Amino acid sequence: MIHAISQSIARFQPGAASRRGYRKLPSTPVWPAPVILSIQIGILVCIVAFWEIGARLGVIDAFFWSQPSAIWATAKIFFTTGSAFTDIAFTFRSTLLGFFFGTLIGSALGLSFWWSKNYAAVVQPFIICFESLPKLALAPLVVLVFGMGLSSKVAIAIALTVVVSTLTAYAGVKALDRDSERLFYSLGASRWQVFTKFVVPACLPWIISVLRINIGLALTGSIVGEFISSQYGLGRTILYAGQTYEIALVWVAVAVLSALSIAMYVAVSWLETWLRKGVVH
Amino acid sequence: MHPPSKLSLENVSMTFQTKAGPFEALAPVDLVVEAGRFISLIGPSGCGKSTIFNIVAGLQPPTTGRVLIDGEDATGQIGRVGYMLQKDLLLPWRTVLDNVILGMEIQGMPAGQARDRARPYLARYGLGGFENQYPSALSGGMRQRAALLRTLLLKNDVVLLDEPFGALDAQTKAQMQEWLLKIWADFNKTVIFVTHDIDEAIYLSDEICVMGTRPGRVVERIETPLARPRPRSVVVEPTFVELKHYCLGLLDPGTEDKRLDAAA
């Protein structure tokens, strides 16, 4: 006991403190942007160089992995004489349609729960059930029902996006400020007035917040639809190239797909910022 | 026959059913308010002030009794009175002007016409130049002004104000009180004002209803014998201080227990 006290006193002796040494706030120097960019480019160049050299020396099996020079040559063919633009347009279109309708239907469904607590309680288990379902597992069925064309890809993209939108819009409905609702009713508002003038604008930030998630999901849905059965599209190109061992074409299509994905993500981010400016103040 | 009073509560009471049995939030209240009067309700929390407001605004049906406006039964009808809640509840996606016209818009006035009607008031009551700003750009006092204008520009003659200045600092509060008196004189509304602040109640009102708890009820109604317009310095006049003292006595639970003991 006494020993413990004397120890704790010792710990507060100035000598003990300086022996232990105080830490300084950790700080990391920030590199200028050009330095970071050149390091990134350097890493990329190294990977490509090792890949190419490795393939030429036979260290990397070019049959399975292909090589940068072959990929470049294939890319040129894909974009000049190949089906690049048809495929990009096809995938782009089904993604956009799926994104648009999935977000629209999902948000409308989520907002509709505001109208009746009973209806929300009845429907909610079904929504959660559909949410937990691996929707991509339904893809073969969707293709059977909707056919090989654009509609089956759009349907899968909608299936992936609709639930996220529903749940988010419903979360927005649940977070509505009760006092504002009371204010509207005290002014003599009808339910429709409360819905259009309060519920919808108050939930818009929630709806906007899922746009970026949904564009990625819609693209995934379209690609999987094309994997199952399709005549066009980047997903179909990847599947076809893989099955015929045209590995270079697989890489080309994947690269184009990433570029498309990034472009759409950036576009949706702009859309989000623009919408937020109009909605959130 | 004298004209019917602007607002009257007849035997209005509120009892909630809880697990522990019925809970009487508001014992039967009779209250008559003449047109153009400024009435304050003061009392500790749980005295039924908010219950009275919810019943008058039609947001809660009373267990017993009726609410009459201009002699007509208005029990359970919404949109008959202007109701300003404690928070300003300005909608962040609407400009100040569009927030102010919200009530008129809901009562069916076309937005353009409502804006034209509201604009001069915004200019006159200290919100000029902020018409097209969003509420986030306003200070607390200005937000309250906008919320109050939204309530006062309604066609309703009766206005319920639930501690509108409760969250403001003392200086802003004093400014807002004077501003409210000015605007009340201009609009000729009948105001029921809830507050915790005795000074505020006496300074603003024609009549004070002191309320008590368990059950919520009106303990006493007191006329304020102060002439209008009232200068700020009225708060140190003997009549004011005496009235304040009297109200404090009514509100002090110690005195209340003594009175209950005396009654027993």
Side-chain angles (χ1 to χ4, degrees):
Chain A
M1 177 68 185
I2 291 166
H3 178 68
I5 291 171
S6 63
Q7 248 194 351
S8 71
I9 290 170
R11 213 177 291 158
F12 287 101
Q13 298 291 316
S18 68
R19 222 180 300 132
R20 200 166 143 263
Y22 289 111
R23 286 195 190 91
K24 279 188 178 157
L25 191 68
S27 67
T28 31
V30 178
W31 294 343
V35 173
I36 292 184
L37 187 69
S38 40
I39 293 174
Q40 287 166 331
I41 292 171
I43 291 173
L44 209 62
V45 169
C46 283
I47 292 173
V48 172
F50 273 116
W51 190 359
E52 182 66 35
I53 295 164
R56 289 199 180 180
L57 294 176
V59 183
I60 295 169
D61 190 341
F63 181 74
F64 287 117
W65 295 100
S66 189
Q67 61 197 79
S69 55
I71 294 170
W72 180 246
T74 311
K76 275 195 280 190
I77 297 165
F78 186 56
F79 275 95
T80 47
T81 55
S83 58
F85 295 104
T86 326
D87 288 334
I88 294 171
F90 187 83
T91 305
F92 182 64
R93 207 162 6 145
S94 56
T95 304
L96 268 198
L97 286 172
F99 168 74
F100 180 75
F101 286 107
T103 310
L104 194 73
I105 296 168
S107 304
L109 203 60
L111 290 175
S112 76
F113 292 144
W114 175 79
W115 285 87
S116 161
K117 287 214 164 59
N118 297 327
Y119 155 65
V122 169
V123 177
Q124 223 187 342
F126 293 101
I127 301 280
I128 291 168
C129 205
F130 190 64
E131 155 72 2
S132 57
L133 186 86
K135 283 153 294 274
L136 290 180
L138 287 178
L141 184 71
V142 172
V143 171
L144 270 182
V145 174
F146 288 92
M148 274 177 62
L150 191 74
S151 47
S152 60
K153 285 76 195 166
V154 175
I156 297 169
I158 290 176
L160 283 186
T161 49
V162 80
V163 191
V164 186
S165 281
T166 305
L167 292 177
T168 313
Y170 187 38
V173 165
K174 282 195 280 198
L176 286 174
D177 180 34
R178 301 284 305 157
D179 282 337
S180 296
E181 218 172 317
R182 273 154 45 88
L183 168 74
F184 271 85
Y185 285 122
S186 83
L187 293 167
S190 66
R191 294 207 80 194
W192 179 248
Q193 281 177 322
V194 179
F195 185 72
T196 53
K197 290 181 198 293
F198 174 59
V199 178
V200 174
C203 289
L204 267 185
W206 294 75
I207 292 169
I208 292 168
S209 72
V210 289
L211 293 183
R212 271 188 289 171
I213 302 168
N214 271 357
I215 194 73
L217 285 175
L219 184 63
T220 309
S222 302
I223 297 298
V224 170
E226 289 169 8
F227 275 180
I228 305 290
S229 170
S230 184
Q231 285 180 305
Y232 314 100
L234 291 167
R236 183 239 164 221
T237 304
I238 293 171
L239 189 77
Y240 165 82
Q243 282 169 344
T244 55
Y245 297 101
E246 279 191 65
I247 307 304
L249 186 56
V250 173
W251 285 115
V252 170
V254 167
V256 172
L257 194 57
S258 332
L260 182 65
S261 174
I262 292 167
M264 288 195 294
Y265 186 86
V266 170
V268 169
S269 302
W270 281 342
L271 178 72
E272 188 182 324
T273 320
W274 182 72
L275 285 173
R276 269 189 203 286
K277 257 188 223 149
V279 166
V280 187
H281 293 279
Chain B
M1 274 289 285
H2 59 89
S5 53
K6 186 43 85 178
L7 170 75
S8 54
L9 309 188
E10 288 180 356
N11 193 39
V12 168
S13 77
M14 187 73 218
T15 307
F16 294 107
Q17 295 302 328
T18 64
K19 277 180 195 152
F23 168 73
E24 196 175 25
L26 185 67
V29 168
D30 288 285
L31 189 72
V32 178
V33 184
E34 301 301 329
R37 299 264 284 175
F38 196 122
I39 304 237
S40 284
L41 309 180
I42 57 170
S45 41
C47 69
K49 297 173 294 197
S50 301
T51 310
I52 289 187
F53 270 21
N54 282 332
I55 291 170
V56 173
L59 298 175
Q60 216 172 49
T63 311
T64 66
R66 299 195 302 162
V67 176
L68 303 177
I69 294 171
D70 291 323
E72 277 174 51
D73 191 349
T75 319
Q77 293 179 359
I78 57 173
R80 292 296 301 266
V81 298
Y83 184 7
M84 180 175 163
L85 292 94
Q86 281 171 9
K87 290 184 273 174
D88 54 67
L89 301 177
L90 297 176
L91 304 172
W93 57 85
R94 280 181 169 239
T95 60
V96 173
L97 181 61
D98 283 0
N99 263 294
V100 168
I101 65 158
L102 179 73
M104 291 189 276
E105 209 182 307
I106 282 172
Q107 291 186 340
M109 193 185 282
Q113 200 185 325
R115 283 194 197 106
D116 289 342
R117 187 167 123 72
R119 242 181 235 113
Y121 289 102
L122 284 162
R124 182 154 18 128
Y125 295 111
L127 289 166
F130 286 91
E131 289 91 342
N132 298 319
Q133 300 274 325
Y134 287 89
S136 52
L138 299 190
S139 67
M142 292 180 100
R143 292 177 67 104
Q144 276 329 76
R145 281 172 201 231
L148 205 54
L149 269 180
R150 176 182 63 199
T151 315
L152 290 169
L153 284 174
L154 300 172
K155 58 178 189 236
N156 310 318
D157 298 327
V158 180
V159 171
L160 312 178
L161 306 177
D162 189 351
E163 286 197 66
F165 311 141
L168 300 178
D169 62 89
Q171 207 180 343
T172 316
K173 193 172 179 174
Q175 285 170 3
M176 290 296 291
Q177 288 167 353
E178 273 161 57
W179 182 80
L180 175 63
L181 284 183
K182 183 175 141 209
I183 203 173
W184 168 65
D186 288 0
F187 277 87
N188 193 28
K189 300 264 183 186
T190 308
V191 176
I192 324 261
F193 190 93
V194 157
T195 179
H196 275 111
D197 182 341
I198 300 176
D199 283 45
E200 183 173 59
I202 301 174
Y203 179 68
L204 293 175
S205 349
D206 297 317
E207 188 179 332
I208 298 164
C209 293
V210 182
M211 301 187 67
T213 50
R214 283 175 288 134
R217 66 197 189 283
V218 175
V219 177
E220 196 164 328
R221 299 182 64 177
I222 307 156
E223 284 281 327
T224 319
L226 297 167
R228 291 185 193 274
R230 296 170 184 167
R232 259 288 134 194
S233 59
V234 78
V235 295
V236 291
E237 273 176 30
T239 335
F240 190 101
V241 177
E242 203 179 305
L243 193 56
K244 183 178 173 182
H245 201 71
Y246 183 66
C247 289
L248 275 172
L250 288 173
L251 288 169
D252 182 19
T255 359
E256 196 158 277
D257 287 345
K258 265 177 241 151
R259 288 160 81 231
L260 286 176
D261 289 343

